[in-house]
């Protein structure tokens, strides 16, 4: 016997024997006990956090296996849509000098599958090297065929129950990655910036209580003024009460916009007058809905000023009776270049009141690192409120328990103030949305194109095209506990091992994953 213990010389051979003998499979005897491994992203390799939580799971699983339970530790990996696409895009750019658009969708997806085989293999080797006693016979991946059936089924059912809908709404838009991202993928960073005070002339010879023929609005994003559709004042503000209902001649643009009454305008903050740009600010969007203001989009998906703006009503329908002309000097400018040009134009027109130093929170994409732009786009959404109600009750009633208990508070604060979830992503890697369109833009949600045709009586000679977007990664990973067990088929594994007994994961994904699974 060697004097010193050399784990590397014996652990791998023993593990291979254990796996070959099927010791990690469910025994088929005793009460069921199951844990689903949080599927690691296929983008890379396991880290110390994985090693720590996997050790906890392994201890629980081995304990219950020795107690005689019919024990399952489900293993698998997650396709990690945006993260994986970024890794592969950088790889082909470095190696071949190409973009995914140069390659085309199919060839690019082939490259990602190649990467998945390499990276997924690294992860499975690491799990084996850790000695994790998972059920390798039933390893799953969130993009395998069976899992896609589960994703399609959930999407179609929720759509039929009016819990999924498509609409033109304001989303967090990443101008670098060209996709919508969720609030949870936005990092707000404190930055030193400026507050620009701009004079907006009153129309029809109106004057303020002080006899001025203009009011002053303060903004940190002057470039958005091209899309202003109103100015809000507080209904109780004595300075502006008499102006409610009157109009502004929007500088540089010339469009007339109303002065509206809304409590969003704080009498104690700034000038008390707030420019309202419903197509480029989430708070303004809510004011716009309350005050029936149109939405005017002035920005492209690249973050550049459009040559011609787009006008919509609050339901997202196109409007043709609004002047959407953008001054020639600003057309095509990148958003921050447009900011400088607009400030200079205000100064030249004698309409720049003052500039203050200002500390503000700026939203950045957590993966791209660029400033996120609120943008009007057509997206798919989940009505999260109705789905959150039974999920809140499950924790309130003790059916699901958080350990430590304090994390319930984090869960409740998120679930009780939940907003509709934007689930579509403008990526190529992911579960493609099971919706088809005809040339008139009518949408048909179904599991397959054949089903869309048969259910709606669409003849074979009518062209249908599938939605180009894919689903947010968290939509599919939210189905992990039952999708891995064969759902929607009523499999024996599903009957035996669902619901699961324990989830071991990080508190940082309570919002992303745990809440959505529940």
């Amino acid at each position: 016997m060697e004097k010193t213990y050399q784990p590397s010389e014996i652990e791998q051979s023993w593990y291979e024997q254990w796996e070959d003998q099927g010791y990690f499979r469910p025994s088929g005897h005793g009460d069921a006990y199951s844990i689903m491994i949080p599927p690691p992203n296929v983008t890379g390799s396991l880290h110390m956090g994985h090693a720590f939580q996997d050790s906890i799971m392994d201890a629980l699983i081995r304990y219950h296996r020795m107690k005689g339970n019919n024990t399952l530790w489900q293993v698998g990996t997650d396709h990690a849509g945006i993260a994986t696409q970024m890794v592969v895009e950088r790889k082909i750019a470095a190696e071949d000098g190409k973009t995914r658009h140069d390659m085309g969708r199919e060839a690019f997806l082939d490259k990602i599958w190649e990467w998945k085989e390499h990276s997924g293999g690294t992860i499975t080797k690491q799990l084996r090297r850790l000695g994790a006693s998972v059920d390798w016979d039933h390893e799953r991946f969130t993009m395998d065929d069976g899992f896609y059936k589960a994703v399609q089924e959930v999407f179609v059912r929720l759509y039929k129950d009016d819990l999924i809908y498509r609409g033109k709404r304001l989303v967090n838009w990443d101008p670098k990655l060209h996709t919508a991202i969720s609030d949870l993928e936005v990092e707000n960073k404190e930055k030193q910036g400026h507050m620009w005070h701009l004079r907006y002339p009153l129309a029809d010879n109106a004057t303020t209580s002080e006899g001025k023929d203009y009011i002053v609005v303060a903004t940190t994003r002057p470039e958005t003024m091209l899309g202003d559709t109103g100015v809000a004042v507080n209904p109780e503000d004595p300075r502006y009460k008499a102006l409610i209902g009157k109009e502004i001649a929007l500088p540089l643009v010339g469009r007339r916009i109303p002065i509206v009454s809304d409590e969003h305008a704080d009498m104690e903050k700034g000038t008390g007058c707030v420019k309202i740009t419903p197509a480029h600010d989430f708070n303004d969007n809510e004011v716009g809905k309350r005050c029936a203001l149109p939405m005017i989009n002035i920005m492209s998906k690249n973050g550049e000023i459009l040559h011609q703006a787009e006008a919509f009503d609050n339901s997202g329908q196109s409007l043709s009776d609004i002047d959407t002309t953008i001054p020639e000097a600003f057309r095509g400018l990148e958003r921050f270049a447009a900011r400088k040009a607009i400030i200079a134009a205000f100064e030249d027109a004698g309409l720049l009141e003052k500039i203050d130093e200002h500390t503000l929170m700026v939203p950045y994409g957590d993966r791209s690192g660029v400033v996120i732009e609120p943008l009007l786009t057509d997206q798919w959404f989940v009505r999260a409120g109705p789905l959150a109600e039974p999920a809140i009750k499950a924790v309130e009633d003790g059916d699901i328990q958080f350990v430590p208990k304090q994390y319930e508070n984090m869960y409740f604060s998120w679930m009780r103030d939940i907003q509709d979830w934007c689930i579509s992503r403008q990526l190529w890697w992911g579960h493609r949305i099971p919706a088809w369109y005809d040339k008139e833009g009518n949408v048909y949600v179904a599991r397959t194109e054949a089903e869309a045709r048969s259910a709606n009586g669409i003849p074979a000679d009518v062209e249908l095209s599938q939605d180009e977007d894919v689903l947010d990664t968290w939509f599919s990973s939210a189905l992990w506990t039952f999708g891995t067990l064969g759902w929607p088929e009523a499999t024996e594994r599903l009957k035996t091992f669902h619901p699961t007994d324990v989830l071991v994961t990080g508190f940082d994904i309570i919002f992303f994953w745990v809440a959505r699974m529940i």
Side-chain angles (χ1 to χ4, degrees), residues 90 204 415 475 479:
R90 282 197 293 260
D204 303 323
M415 295 295 264
F475 185 91
L479 318 182

Side-chain angles (χ1 to χ4, degrees), residues 106 115 151 160 167 183 186 196 219 314 411 426 446 458-459 474 483 486:
E106 295 307 315
W115 167 258
V151 171
K160 286 181 176 175
D183 293 344
V186 175
W196 288 272
T219 179
N314 281 311
Y411 173 80
Q426 289 65 55
I458 302 169
W474 300 102

Side-chain angles (χ1 to χ4, degrees), residues 202-205 228-230 246-250 253-258 322-323:
L202 295 164
D204 303 323
N205 300 314
D228 284 358
T229 60
K246 297 191 182 300
E247 291 186 321
I248 299 287
L250 187 62
V253 180
R255 188 171 60 246
R256 287 169 70 119
I257 61 175
I322 291 178
D323 182 9

Side-chain angles (χ1 to χ4, degrees), residues 47 55 191 194 205 210 274 285 322 353 373 376 383 404 422 441 444 500:
H47 51 64
S55 297
K191 297 287 180 179
H194 297 90
N205 300 314
E210 298 170 335
V274 182
N285 192 262
I322 291 178
E353 177 99 347
E373 195 66 42
L376 272 182
R383 297 190 202 280
C422 176
Y444 307 98
T500 59

Side-chain angles (χ1 to χ4, degrees), residues 305-451:
I305 303 300
L306 294 170
H307 285 249
Q308 184 79 29
E310 304 164 328
F312 305 94
D313 65 18
N314 281 311
S315 64
Q317 297 300 307
S318 183
L319 295 173
S320 57
D321 58 347
I322 291 178
D323 182 9
T324 54
T325 304
I326 287 180
E328 192 172 346
F330 311 123
R331 295 173 194 169
L333 289 182
E334 186 274 333
R335 54 186 166 158
F336 297 116
R339 176 180 294 183
K340 292 178 181 176
I342 285 168
I343 294 162
F346 265 85
E347 193 164 21
D348 291 345
L351 297 175
L352 181 61
E353 177 99 347
K354 63 173 180 172
I355 306 171
D356 290 336
E357 297 289 322
H358 185 71
T359 303
L360 68 159
M361 299 302 289
V362 180
Y364 286 83
D366 66 351
R367 296 195 184 279
S368 67
V370 302
V371 176
I372 294 303
E373 195 66 42
L375 198 68
L376 272 182
T377 57
D378 292 308
Q379 302 287 349
W380 290 90
F381 297 86
V382 170
R383 297 190 202 280
L387 292 170
E389 288 173 14
I392 291 168
K393 190 172 187 300
V395 177
E396 286 176 336
D397 294 349
D399 298 328
I400 294 170
Q401 297 177 37
F402 281 82
V403 180
K405 191 175 174 61
Q406 70 202 48
Y407 286 111
E408 284 183 3
N409 297 328
M410 183 183 284
Y411 173 80
F412 286 138
S413 68
W414 169 248
M415 295 295 264
R416 286 171 177 156
D417 189 36
I418 202 160
Q419 306 297 311
D420 284 3
W421 173 19
C422 176
I423 54 171
S424 44
R425 297 289 181 269
Q426 289 65 55
L427 304 171
W428 287 356
W429 175 241
H431 289 293
R432 202 146 161 202
I433 288 173
W436 282 261
Y437 302 88
D438 60 22
K439 286 188 175 177
E440 283 71 50
N442 298 308
V443 61
Y444 307 98
V445 170
R447 294 160 188 82
T448 63
E449 180 179 341
E451 183 184 289

Side-chain angles (χ1 to χ4, degrees), residues 25-184:
R25 297 173 191 145
S27 66
H29 306 290
D31 294 333
Y33 181 86
S34 61
I35 296 178
M36 300 286 155
I37 200 168
N41 289 348
V42 77
T43 39
S45 53
L46 301 185
H47 51 64
M48 286 300 291
H50 292 111
F52 173 60
Q53 69 180 27
D54 289 354
S55 297
I56 295 170
M57 283 180 263
D58 205 9
L60 289 167
I61 285 291
R62 288 174 183 269
Y63 170 69
H64 281 274
R65 189 180 288 127
M66 290 190 290
K67 277 183 68 177
N69 287 104
N70 185 17
T71 306
L72 167 68
W73 187 9
Q74 177 65 50
V75 68
T77 48
D78 191 282
H79 67 280
I82 195 167
T84 302
Q85 181 161 313
M86 281 179 65
V87 167
V88 177
E89 283 195 79
R90 282 197 293 260
K91 190 170 184 287
I92 61 172
E95 292 175 359
D96 307 321
K98 290 183 178 179
T99 69
R100 63 184 165 113
H101 299 285
D102 295 330
M103 299 180 69
R105 188 167 190 148
E106 295 307 315
F108 179 72
L109 290 178
D110 287 344
K111 280 283 186 188
I112 295 189
W113 279 107
E114 284 176 25
W115 167 258
K116 184 264 172 187
E117 292 309 314
H118 162 76
S119 185
T122 300
I123 289 168
T124 57
K125 283 175 189 170
Q126 287 179 296
L127 280 171
R128 287 180 166 95
R129 194 67 192 83
L130 280 169
S133 59
V134 296
D135 181 13
W136 287 113
D137 291 348
H138 293 88
E139 182 183 354
R140 297 301 299 271
F141 177 51
T142 53
M143 284 280 285
D144 65 33
D145 288 340
F147 210 86
Y148 186 42
K149 286 178 183 172
V151 171
Q152 286 177 310
E153 189 67 27
V154 168
F155 189 97
V156 171
R157 289 192 192 185
L158 290 179
Y159 180 79
K160 286 181 176 175
D161 290 340
D162 196 33
L163 290 167
I164 281 180
Y165 64 94
R166 188 171 187 266
K168 187 179 289 291
R169 288 185 48 181
L170 210 56
V171 296
N172 297 302
W173 183 260
D174 190 313
K176 181 179 179 181
L177 299 180
H178 280 200
T179 182
I181 62 173
S182 78
D183 293 344
L184 301 173

Side-chain angles (χ1 to χ4, degrees), residues 10-20 24 62 127-134 136:
I10 67 163
E11 285 181 354
Q12 282 168 286
S13 61
W14 273 112
Y15 190 91
E16 286 168 12
Q17 282 192 51
W18 295 340
E19 189 179 339
D20 290 343
F24 304 153
R62 288 174 183 269
L127 280 171
R128 287 180 166 95
R129 194 67 192 83
L130 280 169
S133 59
V134 296
W136 287 113

